[in-house]
Amino acid sequence: MRNKKKIAIIGLGYVGLPLAVEFGKKYRTVGFDINNDRVNSLKDGFDYTLEISKHSLESVLINKDEIKNNISSGLFLSYYVDDIKNANIFIVTVPTPIDLNNRPDLTPLKKASEMIGKILKKGDIVIYESTVYPGVTEEFCMPILENISGLKYNIDFYLGYSPERINPGDKERTITNILKVTSGSTPEIAKEIDSLYQSIIITGTYLAKNIKVAEAAKVIENSQRDINIAFVNELAKIFNLLKIDTQDVLEAAATKWNFLPFKPGLVGGHCIGVDPYYLAQKAQEFGYQSEIILSGRRLNDSMGHYVANELIKLMVKAGKKIKNSKILVLGITFKENCPDVRNTKVIDVVSQLKDFGAKVKIYDPWASKKEVSREYKLNTTNVVPNSLFDGIILTVSHNEFLNLDLDSLKNGNAPVYDVKGVLGSKADGRL
């Protein structure tokens, strides 16, 4: 047990920042990120993810003089590696994306491990929170740490894995209110890691038997949800052919006590749209070709093109010329009331509409125009467009859209398609 915990959080995104703030309330904590602009904006009290308020952030921040004086608690933010070299507990919260071929991209994890390896000391603990397939922590990250540091695993340094369960935009199920799965590379270290998280997690922790179990538990959480949504997406396609309202069917079925209330839609985001590929990749390495997991992912990946085609059908019925038509897309983030645009499947909708020759305008009051431009090379607006459109498609159910005067945006009998099923009679069609 470390007598004096000095914690370094690697990565200050949706996962790392809330974690750093909570640990900073009790321990001497340094939040590190390679993005200079991100660190500087956080020092000014602004979190573009909107997960942490200015007040909450400023109440825990300390300056360089205070961190040098070995203050007992507080959060110092930095993009200099030297500022984390005195930590004895490193927590890695970097992203684990997929590449263009839907294969796991462990590059951010590799770079973070290499960086830590250069400053790793005897007795240190490295905890990974990034979502991975079973075995990554001990079979991929550990050798990197050993090779660069020259230290021996479970003799000189130790590992842990505690999967993140952050739900971006959720102000009720925040980090301290979500039960935390923990694990460690030895029984003693596992208990120490569990105790560390217990000190900030109100709802408690669950100590998994080993690191691989904790890794597997995380990756199946989102895979299970992905498969369930794929099922109702397929139902929506079937019921559309049968001229039956999917929402009506789901409401009727939900009257049974054990019916799972999943809804159809676009399945994006950094977790659900990515994690199944990590598990499928690991299974393939052992000679097993996933059937259910990948079929569900393929179906969900197809939904962007499907809903775009449904809007086009409505426009054709309304007598609208498709080429050079003006279409308004309401929402670009991957979920409602949240600025997160990572792996948003609205991109597929926009791409398909453009393939038809339409001119697409994207209105999203939550999304950062700069981030959307950087990630997807698309222009967006944060204000209601002053124009008329030949077709409108609601892809994200931001609160701002629920009472939006759609008639003032319609060019004549322009149809409205509702992906989220929240517009009621305002929509001419819905998923």
Side-chain angles (χ1 to χ4, degrees):
M1 182 75 70
R2 265 125 285 276
N3 294 325
K4 192 171 184 180
K5 294 179 174 63
K6 292 176 285 187
I7 300 172
I9 308 294
I10 316 300
L12 296 174
Y14 284 86
V15 176
L17 181 62
L19 193 66
V21 168
E22 292 304 321
F23 276 126
K25 294 176 182 178
K26 294 196 173 186
Y27 308 104
R28 180 186 172 195
T29 305
V30 178
F32 173 87
D33 200 291
I34 60 174
N35 187 331
N36 300 15
D37 292 338
R38 172 65 168 162
V39 172
N40 289 331
S41 64
L42 290 174
K43 285 183 175 181
D44 291 335
F46 175 68
D47 168 29
Y48 71 78
T49 70
L50 304 182
E51 293 296 311
I52 302 296
S53 69
K54 183 179 178 66
H55 172 73
S56 297
L57 192 53
E58 291 180 340
S59 67
V60 74
L61 287 181
I62 57 177
N63 58 42
K64 193 146 191 171
D65 288 336
E66 291 173 304
I67 199 76
K68 283 182 178 179
N69 292 331
N70 289 326
I71 191 170
S72 61
S73 65
L75 173 61
F76 177 68
L77 302 174
S78 177
Y79 43 81
Y80 292 112
V81 178
D82 279 354
D83 289 329
I84 62 172
K85 66 181 181 181
N86 292 324
N88 51 29
I89 298 175
F90 299 89
I91 302 179
V92 180
T93 64
V94 298
T96 44
I98 52 176
D99 62 21
L100 295 176
N101 296 313
N102 293 327
R103 291 183 175 275
D105 180 4
L106 300 178
T107 302
L109 212 55
K110 178 177 182 288
K111 290 182 177 179
S113 298
E114 289 172 341
M115 181 187 71
I116 294 171
K118 294 175 183 177
I119 57 176
L120 199 62
K121 306 172 298 299
K122 286 190 175 183
D124 287 353
I125 299 175
V126 184
I127 305 169
Y128 291 90
E129 289 213 1
S130 307
T131 302
V132 294
Y133 52 77
V136 167
T137 301
E138 295 166 292
E139 297 166 12
F140 179 81
C141 298
M142 183 274 287
I144 295 173
L145 294 171
E146 270 196 341
N147 292 337
I148 293 180
S149 69
L151 301 176
K152 292 297 181 182
Y153 175 52
N154 277 345
I155 296 176
D156 299 319
F157 73 94
Y158 306 90
L159 293 180
Y161 183 78
S162 181
E164 60 90 2
R165 281 177 165 172
I166 292 291
N167 186 26
D170 192 332
K171 302 307 177 185
E172 294 183 7
R173 288 182 288 269
T174 57
I175 186 171
T176 60
N177 296 322
I178 303 173
L179 193 140
K180 199 86 163 69
V181 173
T182 65
S183 65
S185 55
T186 70
E188 295 75 21
I189 291 300
K191 290 179 182 178
E192 182 173 347
I193 291 172
D194 191 64
S195 176
L196 174 69
Y197 281 105
Q198 279 187 6
S199 68
I200 65 167
I201 305 297
I202 296 172
T203 48
T205 61
Y206 177 87
L207 181 56
K209 287 189 176 181
N210 54 56
I211 288 174
K212 283 189 176 67
V213 168
E215 291 171 324
K218 168 58 181 177
V219 80
I220 70 166
E221 289 174 15
N222 289 321
S223 297
Q224 181 187 64
R225 183 170 175 80
D226 191 44
I227 291 166
N228 280 316
I229 298 174
F231 173 62
V232 293
N233 273 337
E234 186 166 66
L235 292 180
K237 289 184 175 183
I238 294 171
F239 293 144
N240 181 50
L241 294 172
L242 299 176
K243 308 300 181 185
I244 301 174
D245 190 295
T246 304
Q247 300 295 333
D248 290 346
V249 175
L250 294 176
E251 287 174 10
T255 59
K256 188 179 181 185
W257 70 90
N258 61 351
F259 182 81
L260 301 177
F262 286 92
K263 294 183 178 181
L266 303 173
V267 187
H270 187 63
C271 292
I272 298 181
V274 173
D275 295 358
Y277 288 120
Y278 272 73
L279 186 56
Q281 170 70 20
K282 191 62 177 179
Q284 189 174 18
E285 290 177 9
F286 281 78
Y288 182 81
Q289 185 64 36
S290 170
E291 296 182 31
I292 294 177
I293 294 173
L294 287 182
S295 64
R297 187 87 295 276
R298 283 192 293 270
L299 194 145
N300 283 338
D301 276 345
S302 73
M303 292 306 292
H305 286 183
Y306 176 79
V307 298
N309 290 340
E310 291 299 294
L311 173 63
I312 294 298
K313 290 177 184 178
L314 290 175
M315 291 174 64
V316 170
K317 289 179 180 178
K320 297 293 183 181
K321 182 181 177 182
I322 304 304
K323 188 174 182 180
N324 294 321
S325 62
K326 296 173 67 178
I327 296 178
L328 176 62
V329 173
L330 297 175
I332 189 70
T333 62
F334 92 89
K335 64 180 293 189
E336 67 278 359
N337 306 319
C338 171
D340 195 348
V341 297
R342 294 175 297 173
N343 196 35
T344 173
K345 293 304 177 182
V346 179
I347 297 302
D348 296 340
V349 179
V350 173
S351 175
Q352 183 74 346
L353 292 174
K354 286 186 174 183
D355 283 348
F356 277 106
K359 296 178 180 178
V360 180
K361 184 78 171 180
I362 304 169
Y363 163 46
D364 194 313
W366 285 82
S368 164
K369 293 190 290 184
K370 182 179 179 181
E371 187 175 359
V372 173
S373 177
R374 184 180 66 249
E375 290 292 325
Y376 303 109
K377 304 297 186 293
L378 291 173
N379 294 321
T380 60
T381 179
N382 296 130
V383 296
V384 180
N386 183 22
S387 185
L388 296 178
F389 297 91
D390 301 304
I392 300 174
I393 181 167
L394 182 141
T395 51
V396 187
S397 54
H398 292 317
N399 289 339
E400 290 84 349
F401 296 156
L402 303 184
N403 297 311
L404 187 63
D405 184 3
L406 295 177
D407 288 336
S408 67
L409 297 168
K410 295 166 65 174
N411 180 17
N413 63 339
V416 176
Y417 189 80
D418 182 8
V419 174
K420 302 297 290 186
V422 296
L423 294 178
S425 59
K426 294 180 182 179
D428 300 285
R430 66 180 183 179
L431 189 57

